[in-house]
């Protein structure tokens, strides 16, 4: 395991969330490494979407884990004098039987683990609620009878259960459901019950001494960070370490939104000290 907080304390030129050919990324790992070097990164972490026991076009195959880890090592051998490369994984929580706490993930030789929620139960299936808003809106009718409150609660139920179970280092895009939920039902994120669910998850993050990710993937397309700006002061004031990662799927987006995310985070931390 690597000391993420030590790395973050020494430089802003890091990123621990990226996707490549092993899941739904749009470029080979070596292409992403060259893009990261071009942007001046000193530390770069790969985090493919984990294998899951259901069909998903976005998740890596269980049979590919060895190939992934071998590719990280190959790239270290080539680029190790220019950038530090890490083998991470973004592990999906589906249910108590499958999530970061599952022994399968502990047996993998990973440098760090991100715990994230992308799926919620929909009838007899697990439904990915993390896609584009137009896809989400179609799924709302197809799987959930347009019950947005159910979907939001199911997301935060899974998030809280994942945090409680442990087995990971970084909480990925803590309130990601908020963006699609607000596209379906504008204003939902300002409702008291919704904010209560987010704060419930933050309580657990604080109590479990986890690292929270400030995910900048949607900044340039939707002017949105995850978690939303209004929740950052509570996280930082409570002593939760927050790291800024771009969740890059394309080589031209390896640094997307990170400048803005870092500036915001530093501003909030400075304000907390006054």
């Amino acid at each position: 395991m690597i000391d993420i907080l030590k790395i973050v304390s020494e430089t802003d030129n890091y990123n621990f969330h990226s996707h490549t050919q092993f899941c739904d990324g749009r470029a080979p790992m070596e292409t992403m490494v060259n893009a990261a070097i071009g942007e001046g990164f000193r530390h770069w972490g790969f985090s493919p979407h984990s294998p899951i026991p259901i069909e998903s076009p976005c998740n890596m195959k269980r049979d590919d884990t060895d190939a992934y880890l071998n590719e990280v090592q190959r790239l270290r051998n080539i680029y190790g004098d220019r950038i530090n490369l890490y083998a991470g994984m973004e592990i999906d929580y589906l249910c108590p039987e499958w999530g970061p706490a599952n022994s399968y993930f502990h047996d993998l030789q990973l440098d760090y683990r991100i715990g994230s929620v992308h799926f919620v139960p929909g009838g007899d299936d697990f439904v990915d609620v993390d896609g584009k808003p137009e896809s989400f809106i179609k799924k709302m009718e197809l799987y959930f009878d347009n019950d947005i409150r159910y979907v939001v609660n199911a997301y935060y139920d899974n998030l809280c259960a994942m945090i409680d179970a442990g087995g990971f280092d970084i909480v990925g895009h803590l309130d990601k459901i908020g963006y699609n939920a607000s596209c379906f039902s504008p204003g939902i994120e300002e409702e008291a019950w919704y904010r209560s669910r987010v704060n419930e998850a933050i309580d657990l993050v604080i109590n479990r001494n986890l690292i929270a990710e400030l995910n900048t993937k949607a900044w340039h397309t939707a002017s949105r960070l995850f978690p939303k700006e209004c929740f950052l002061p509570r996280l930082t004031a409570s002593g939760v370490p927050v790291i800024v990662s771009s969740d890059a799927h394309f080589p031209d987006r390896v640094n997307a939104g990170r400048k803005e995310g870092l500036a915001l985070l530093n501003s909030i931390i400075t304000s907390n000290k006054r």
Side-chain angles (χ1 to χ4, degrees):
M1 301 296 289
I2 60 171
D3 190 339
I4 292 173
L5 297 183
K6 183 175 186 296
I7 292 169
V8 171
S9 71
E10 294 174 347
T11 181
D12 288 338
N13 296 325
Y14 66 84
N15 188 80
F16 293 105
H17 195 155
S18 67
H19 300 281
T20 61
Q21 77 270 27
F22 284 99
C23 56
D24 62 346
R26 298 296 189 266
M29 290 169 64
E30 189 161 7
T31 302
M32 296 292 273
V33 170
N34 280 297
I37 290 172
E39 286 287 333
F41 282 100
R42 296 281 305 281
H43 303 271
W44 186 265
F46 298 104
S47 56
H49 292 290
S50 69
I52 52 176
I54 60 174
E55 287 298 318
S56 167
C58 296
N59 291 71
M60 75 183 301
K61 304 300 183 185
R62 190 164 181 161
D63 290 344
D64 287 340
T65 54
D66 285 344
Y68 160 62
L69 294 171
N70 289 337
E71 180 65 356
V72 175
Q73 188 56 53
R74 184 185 78 85
L75 295 172
R76 283 173 177 157
N77 293 337
I78 298 172
Y79 298 98
D81 60 339
R82 302 171 67 187
I83 190 170
N84 296 296
L85 301 175
Y86 308 107
M89 187 171 286
E90 184 178 17
I91 303 172
D92 269 297
Y93 182 93
L94 298 181
C95 58
E97 292 73 35
W98 195 262
N102 189 292
S103 61
Y104 166 74
F105 297 109
H106 288 264
D107 293 336
L108 297 177
Q109 297 301 305
L110 298 172
D111 294 313
Y112 65 94
R113 297 167 177 83
I114 302 172
S116 295
V117 174
H118 301 93
F119 296 82
V120 303
D124 295 329
D125 301 314
F126 290 101
V127 180
D128 184 354
V129 294
D130 190 60
K132 295 181 179 179
E134 52 268 29
S135 173
F136 177 80
I137 289 169
K138 291 178 181 177
K139 290 176 181 178
M140 283 298 303
E141 181 175 5
L142 183 61
Y143 295 103
F144 304 114
D145 197 28
N146 288 325
D147 187 349
I148 188 62
R149 191 155 181 157
Y150 164 79
V151 172
V152 168
N153 277 322
Y155 175 91
Y156 285 110
D157 285 347
N158 270 2
L159 180 64
C160 290
M162 179 187 77
I163 295 170
D164 199 45
F168 62 99
D169 311 289
I170 304 167
V171 181
H173 46 61
L174 187 148
D175 64 344
K176 188 74 181 293
I177 193 63
Y179 177 61
N180 276 343
S182 61
C183 289
F184 181 85
S185 179
I188 192 171
E189 292 181 280
E190 306 308 316
E191 295 178 15
W193 71 273
Y194 178 91
R195 295 175 71 86
S196 176
R197 292 311 315 261
V198 180
N199 280 309
E200 179 184 351
I202 290 175
D203 286 341
L204 287 173
V205 172
I206 294 169
N207 291 335
R208 297 296 187 274
N209 296 314
L210 294 170
I211 300 169
E213 171 192 70
L214 180 58
N215 187 300
T216 66
K217 177 184 177 181
W219 178 257
H220 289 302
T221 57
S223 298
R224 176 66 191 258
L225 300 169
F226 305 104
K228 201 171 184 179
E229 179 179 345
C230 60
F231 296 111
L232 285 172
R234 180 165 182 240
L235 282 165
T236 57
S238 299
V240 173
V242 179
I243 65 172
V244 181
S245 289
S246 64
D247 196 352
H249 288 63
F250 297 84
D252 62 344
R253 301 180 191 175
V254 294
N255 211 14
R258 289 190 71 258
K259 178 181 178 181
E260 293 83 357
L262 285 163
L264 173 63
L265 180 61
N266 290 332
S267 174
I268 290 171
I269 292 173
T270 300
S271 178
N272 285 344
K273 293 177 179 178
R274 290 174 182 163

